[in-house]
Each structure stands twice: as structure tokens, then as C-alpha cells.
Amino acid sequence: MAAPGTLLDAVVVGAGQAGLSASHHLRRLGLRHVVLDAETAPGGAWQHRWDTLTMRDVHGVADLPDSPAPRPGEERANLVVPAWFAAYEREQALPVVRPVRVERVEPADPDDPGGPLRVVAGDRTWTTRTLVNATGTWSRPFVPAYPGARTFRGLQL
């Protein structure tokens, strides 16, 4: 885990399937990063699915890098998938911090809007070169507005 005040290569917001996958690849590339997740436990939106949804009923769960998805069966999806995510976080030694609800992202230096970003969650902050928004769609999806978005000619994912 990065020390406070460290300029990170990336901050990933969300530790669901997309966030865990992003973290895996950032780690593989040797990039200093952290994953901030609002939940109190691993599992993303899966831990909130209804108890009657079984793995057989799920219409496909994508593999995580180097970890195949659980097989269809009669087990509850809201138990199986969170357990899989938790094991993946441990086995991959991913730098997930929770519970952290990101409140805003802003330039670290207001005079340098193209420079590093400050990610703010309560009284905690992280400074990063890159932000990966992997919050998913479960709880109020949000596409942030940022200065220069209309004229930005690059690819925003």
C-alpha cells in the first residue's frame, strides 16, 4: 500500500469485476496504485443480489484475469461471487481499501488542471496521475463532468 502523500500512478474507484481486473493489470505492469471501494466487504453489487438467484440462473459472469468464473450450480450467487472476489483480492495481493466513498476528484494544483488529480474521501486524499472509474451501475451510476471535456480529443473510457 502506498504511503500517504505518495503520487500514485493510478487510483481505481470500485472493487467490482472491472476494478479488480484493472488492479490486476496495473499491478502486473508494476504501477503504484490503490483501489478504493465503498462497500464494507468484497463482492461488489453481487453481495446485494437476492437470495434466490443461483449461479445457474446467472446469465454469464466473465472471468477475472488468471481466475475463471465460478461454474453454474445451485449455490447462491450473492455468496459465491463475493467469496470469489475476496479470494482473488487476497491471492493477487490487490491494494483494496474499504470502506471508502469517494466524494470528489479535483486537480491537485488548481493552477495546473492538466496535472495530477486529488481524490477526496472525507478527510482522506490520494494524489494520482490517472483515475479509473470502475464504479459500475449498481448504485447510482455517475459520469463526472470535468473541465475541457467538450474539447478533449482523446479516448475517455
Side-chain angles (χ1 to χ4, degrees):
M1 205 71 63
T6 302
L7 176 61
L8 298 167
D9 295 308
V11 169
V12 178
V13 181
Q17 209 156 5
L20 296 179
S21 181
S23 181
H24 167 88
H25 290 291
L26 290 166
R27 186 170 178 273
R28 182 178 57 82
L29 293 169
L31 297 174
R32 290 171 305 161
H33 73 286
V34 66
V35 181
L36 306 177
D37 192 56
E39 298 291 343
T40 57
W46 287 97
Q47 60 192 308
H48 304 293
R49 305 287 185 194
W50 53 96
D51 292 345
T52 56
L53 179 68
T54 68
M55 290 304 294
R56 184 173 315 286
D57 300 323
V58 170
H59 296 291
V61 177
D63 295 344
L64 286 167
D66 299 329
S67 181
R71 300 189 50 86
E74 297 307 317
E75 302 84 11
R76 288 174 34 190
N78 63 2
L79 297 178
V80 172
V81 177
W84 175 46
F85 284 10
Y88 190 78
E89 287 179 22
R90 279 191 314 275
E91 292 162 8
Q92 297 286 320
L94 300 180
V96 179
V97 180
R98 62 170 60 88
V100 175
R101 184 167 299 279
V102 172
E103 296 167 3
R104 68 184 183 279
V105 178
E106 59 196 17
D109 178 353
D111 295 328
D112 183 13
L117 300 169
R118 179 181 302 115
V119 179
V120 179
D123 61 352
R124 297 186 284 177
T125 62
W126 294 263
T127 306
T128 182
R129 290 179 170 79
T130 308
L131 181 78
V132 177
N133 181 353
T135 57
T137 59
W138 181 254
S139 64
R140 225 176 113 207
F142 176 72
V143 177
Y146 60 92
R150 290 186 197 162
T151 58
F152 180 71
R153 296 195 182 275
L155 177 63
Q156 178 181 336
L157 303 172

